[in-house]
Structures are given as structure tokens and as C-alpha cells.
């Protein structure tokens, strides 16, 4: 078999969060010599190999050794009809799609009015102690528009109306 070797690791930088990951192809079109699979007449359950022996040159071995320390390695089986190598690009979470979908925190602490917008969140009406009901918060993406001290909350439709 012939595979590509992919490295998934943390995106470097001070602003990167724990789930900011990227995947890069570090070796292309590499021949697999062996995989640590055991088979026998009594074992019917499939096993996932944890070690693969790849045929690489010295530079490829150095890249594999360093990549193993930086993140997790994955092998992707190559199409036998397309063994052409070429320029590759790094893939991040934003390349996977779904970037416009967001689920807001539904904890009760969000219902409390922020101290920075007291006029937009009236707490009491006319000194009677009665609270003004707040409008329903949108469940999906939304836009907040302030006109003076008036706040308007508008739901934003997703692409295609969904």
C-alpha cells in the first residue's frame, strides 16, 4: 500500500486556544512495508494497528521523528490510480465548514443584565418593584442593534434559510 502521512497539531501562537488545531501533509506517496496486525484462526475481531513501518529516506525519517513529538500522526491510503505528488496546504477547523453555526450558552447567568448596558436592560418600572419582561433570546445566530438606548435583537438566517 501507498499512503500520505498527516500531522495534526496545535496551531502555534499566543492567541491560539486549546481546540485550535491544524493538519499538514508531511510525507506523500510513501510505501507501507508492514503494519502490526496479528491474525489467526481463532481471532475474528478486527484489530487496529498502532505501528506502521514505512519506506522513507533519511530526511523523511527525521520528519517522522519530529512530527511524532509535535502531534498525532495519521496515515491516509493513496488512490492507486493517482500517485502524483504536488503542492499541499495546511487545513484548519475553518476549512471543515459549519463556521456560521453557533450554539449560545444556555446557562441562567446569561439572563442577567450586563452592568454596562443599564438603559438597554430596564430592571424595574416606575419604582413599583415589578420587573420588565425581557424579550426571548434567539436560539441561533443573532445580531444586536442599538439605536440610542433601545436594543433590538434580530435572528440571522443561515445560508439557504436554514
Amino acid at each position: 500500500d501507498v499512503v500520505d502521512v498527516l500531522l495534526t497539531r496545535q496551531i502555534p501562537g499566543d492567541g491560539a486556544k486549546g481546540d485550535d488545531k491544524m493538519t499538514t501533509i508531511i510525507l506523500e506517496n510513501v510505501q507501507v512495508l508492514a503494519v502490526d496486525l496479528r491474525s489467526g484462526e481463532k481471532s475474528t475481531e478486527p484489530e487496529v494497528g498502532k505501528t506502521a513501518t514505512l519506506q522513507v529516506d533519511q530526511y523523511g525519517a527525521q520528519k517522522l521523528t519530529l512530527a511524532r513529538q509535535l502531534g498525532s500522526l495519521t496515515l491516509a491510503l493513496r488512490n492507486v490510480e493517482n500517485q502524483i505528488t504536488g503542492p499541499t496546504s495546511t487545513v484548519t477547523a475553518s476549512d471543515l465548514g459549519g463556521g456560521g453555526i453557533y450554539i449560545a450558552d444556555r446557562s441562567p447567568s446569561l439572563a442577567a443584565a450586563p452592568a454596562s448596558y443599564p438603559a438597554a436592560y430596564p430592571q424595574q418600572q416606575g419604582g413599583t418593584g415589578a420587573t420588565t419582561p425581557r424579550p426571548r433570546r434567539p436560539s441561533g445566530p443573532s445580531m444586536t442593534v442599538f439605536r440610542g438606548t433601545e436594543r433590538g435583537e434580530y435572528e440571522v438566517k443561515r445560508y439557504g434559510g436554514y
Side-chain angles (χ1 to χ4, degrees), residues 13-15 26 47 68 88 96 99 106 125 143 146-147:
D14 294 336
I26 60 167
E47 282 188 38
R68 199 172 114 224
T88 62
L96 300 178
R106 295 183 180 134
Q125 194 174 34
M143 177 189 313
F146 288 94
R147 291 186 179 100

Side-chain angles (χ1 to χ4, degrees), residues 19-154:
D19 59 346
D20 290 334
K21 305 279 186 188
M22 65 182 189
T23 299
T24 308
I25 297 175
I26 60 167
L27 295 171
E28 289 183 281
N29 211 21
V30 177
Q31 186 174 4
V32 179
L33 300 178
V35 178
D36 71 339
L37 296 178
R38 294 184 188 96
S39 62
E41 293 178 15
K42 295 182 182 179
S43 67
T44 59
E45 296 297 317
E47 282 188 38
V48 176
K50 295 182 180 164
T51 303
T53 303
L54 305 177
Q55 183 177 1
V56 296
D57 60 6
Q58 187 176 19
Y59 181 66
Q62 290 173 311
K63 287 176 78 171
L64 282 171
T65 303
L66 178 60
R68 199 172 114 224
Q69 299 296 318
L70 295 176
S72 62
L73 296 174
T74 306
L75 301 180
L77 189 62
R78 289 291 296 239
N79 181 348
V80 288
E81 294 179 7
N82 181 9
Q83 300 296 320
I84 300 170
T85 60
T88 62
S89 60
T90 299
V91 175
T92 63
S94 63
D95 296 319
L96 300 178
I101 298 174
Y102 176 78
I103 298 175
D105 186 5
R106 295 183 180 134
S107 65
S109 63
L110 283 181
S116 59
Y117 301 113
Y121 291 88
Q123 295 295 319
Q124 293 187 348
Q125 194 174 34
T128 63
T131 60
T132 304
R134 290 195 177 88
R136 182 185 71 80
R137 292 184 63 92
S139 61
S142 65
M143 177 189 313
T144 304
V145 177
F146 288 94
R147 291 186 179 100
T149 59
E150 297 295 318
R151 173 190 172 141
E153 191 86 23
Y154 302 94

